[in-house]
Each structure stands twice: as C-alpha cells, then as structure tokens.
Amino acid sequence: MRNWNVLKSRYLQDELPIRLGNLASNLARIKSRCQNSANGELVESLLQESKLFIEWTAKDAEVEIAAELVELQVQLACWQYSWVRIWDDAEQRMRMAEVAKIWSEKVLNMSGLLAVN
C-alpha cells in the first residue's frame, strides 16, 4: 500500500507546470502499459495516482485548466469503475490507451512546459 501522504507532500513541492507535466507523464505511462495485459495492476495504480494528482493540482490552476482536469478525473474514475471489463477486453484497453494518449498531450500543452521562450 502506498503512502499517499508522502507522495502528496513531495508532489506539492513542485510548481504547477511541473505537476501538470507529471500528470501528463502518468497518462503517457498508462497509454504505453496498456499494450501488455500483464500490466493491469500497474495501470490501475497509475489511474488512482493520476486522480490524486488532479485533486492536489486543480485547486491551484486557472479555472479553465481546473475544469479540464475535473473532466479528466471523471474519465479516470469511469475507467476504474469499469476496470475488469475494460482490462479483459483488448479492444477496450487499446481505446483507453488512445484516450490516455490524447489526455497526456492535452495536459502537457496545458502545463506550458513545451512553450518556446
């Protein structure tokens, strides 16, 4: 069992763009780990961690970004709710991977980390 309080304390030390970058990275890991059905436990853990990242981040973000993050959090919760059905079906798992990729790119763009100075 993970110590979420330790993770939260560490996560909140970073500025908002870095936190969003970490969330985007988690979503990219979800996408890549969906390729192998043996990674179910890891992906399930990444879903939970990502939901917490959103909870810890949205309050510090601009309203538009926070709204997008809440939409993403709902998507993650839906995946968790239907977890067994999704993970056991390769087609649904690949669909989840594609949506996770889209969200990863979207969150990375929101972070501003790719902006040219």
Side-chain angles (χ1 to χ4, degrees):
M1 181 92 186
R2 291 192 72 171
N3 186 336
W4 296 115
N5 290 326
V6 170
L7 180 63
K8 180 180 182 180
S9 176
R10 169 61 194 99
Y11 184 76
L12 291 176
Q13 291 176 13
D14 290 327
E15 297 295 321
L16 182 64
I18 301 299
R19 285 189 256 161
L20 290 170
N22 287 333
L23 175 58
S25 179
N26 258 19
L27 295 166
R29 280 194 293 277
I30 289 169
K31 189 260 181 213
S32 68
R33 299 301 187 230
C34 282
Q35 309 304 316
N36 185 338
S37 63
N39 292 327
E41 195 173 308
L42 173 61
V43 172
E44 194 172 15
S45 174
L46 287 167
L47 291 174
Q48 182 61 34
E49 184 177 88
S50 297
K51 282 178 35 189
L52 290 170
F53 282 0
I54 293 168
E55 180 181 322
W56 301 333
T57 300
K59 65 181 176 47
D60 297 326
E62 295 175 16
V63 172
E64 296 81 12
I65 291 174
E68 293 275 357
L69 293 175
V70 168
E71 184 180 333
L72 171 56
Q73 192 173 41
V74 168
Q75 177 65 74
L76 297 171
C78 288
W79 287 338
Q80 281 184 311
Y81 180 77
S82 303
W83 180 248
V84 173
R85 183 177 46 81
I86 291 171
W87 198 256
D88 288 345
D89 182 328
E91 186 176 316
Q92 288 189 48
R93 201 169 58 245
M94 291 305 106
R95 214 171 331 175
M96 182 176 82
E98 187 57 34
V99 172
K101 175 185 176 231
I102 291 166
W103 272 110
S104 175
E105 292 168 356
K106 193 176 204 177
V107 172
L108 188 57
N109 285 331
M110 285 190 282
S111 77
L113 293 172
L114 298 179
V116 179
N117 292 327

